[in-house]
Amino acid sequence: MTKIVFVCLGNICRSPMAEFVMKHLVAAAGLEKDFLIESAGCYPSIGTPMSDGTAHELKKNNVPFTRRASKLLLESDYKKFDYLIGLDRSNVRDMKEICGGDPDGKIFLLMDFAGKHRDVADPWYTDDYATTYDDCLIGCEALLDFLKRS
Ligand code: 4NP
């Protein structure tokens, strides 16, 4: 069982998008029982639903999702998950602060799996959820490839 948590700032836009894109890719590969996939935020307004833009973009791309409430990344999540994956570089810094560093090398930047050391586009100010979706898809496809090879 591989346990993954995607992490952004608010856990309402980017990390839930990555969570459901990854679940969709894993289901399409017939690997659902081998994975636990969740998402969390470093500074969420806890209990807030997924943003309308993220829900709309997932629907547009036929990616199934469930209603969910934002939650906080906890220090104990470092032990619980095998891969803690930040959507942007500031998330990665915040994750290391919350988790007390990264002694086991479990914290990653999503786009690094795709060979691109950059952030997933943040739709918060742009309302451009399509670019965020494209980034999540590229990152999650590369992540799944990496995990299949590991
Ligand atoms: P997320 O988006 O981190 O992708 O969920 C944001 C959510 C909330 C805020 C910024 C980004 N905020 O400033 O409240």
Side-chain angles (χ1 to χ4, degrees), residues 7-16 40-45 51 54 70 87-88 91 121-125 129 132:
V7 181
C8 63
L9 187 129
N11 190 217
I12 56 173
C13 302
R14 292 164 293 172
S15 60
C42 292
Y43 295 101
S45 171
S51 69
T54 290
S70 62
L87 277 282
D88 74 24
N91 305 144
D122 184 351
W124 185 252
Y125 295 108
Y129 285 83
T132 305

Side-chain angles (χ1 to χ4, degrees), residues 53-64:
T54 290
H56 176 262
E57 196 61 32
L58 290 171
K59 226 177 263 174
K60 195 177 99 184
N61 288 283
N62 297 313
V63 176

Side-chain angles (χ1 to χ4, degrees), residues 15-124:
S15 60
M17 195 182 284
E19 173 187 339
F20 290 111
V21 166
M22 189 67 182
K23 282 178 171 166
H24 191 48
L25 294 175
V26 161
L31 297 171
E32 263 165 317
K33 65 177 186 338
D34 298 330
F35 285 88
L36 173 73
I37 301 166
E38 295 184 12
S39 65
C42 292
Y43 295 101
S45 171
I46 295 167
T48 306
M50 184 196 292
S51 69
D52 291 344
T54 290
H56 176 262
E57 196 61 32
L58 290 171
K59 226 177 263 174
K60 195 177 99 184
N61 288 283
N62 297 313
V63 176
F65 59 94
T66 52
R67 287 176 63 83
R68 65 179 305 286
S70 62
K71 63 183 187 198
L72 177 66
L73 179 73
L74 303 173
E75 186 178 2
S76 57
D77 287 331
Y78 193 76
K79 222 177 213 167
K80 174 177 172 184
F81 291 98
D82 304 307
Y83 294 88
L84 296 90
I85 301 179
L87 277 282
D88 74 24
R89 285 166 286 188
S90 72
N91 305 144
V92 167
R93 282 193 294 276
D94 293 340
M95 291 158 73
K96 288 179 178 170
E97 203 148 293
I98 290 168
C99 296
D102 183 17
D104 301 331
K106 295 178 172 188
I107 294 178
F108 298 88
L109 179 70
L110 180 60
M111 296 307 282
D112 272 343
F113 289 100
K116 299 169 195 292
H117 188 66
R118 66 168 176 85
D119 301 337
V120 166
D122 184 351
W124 185 252

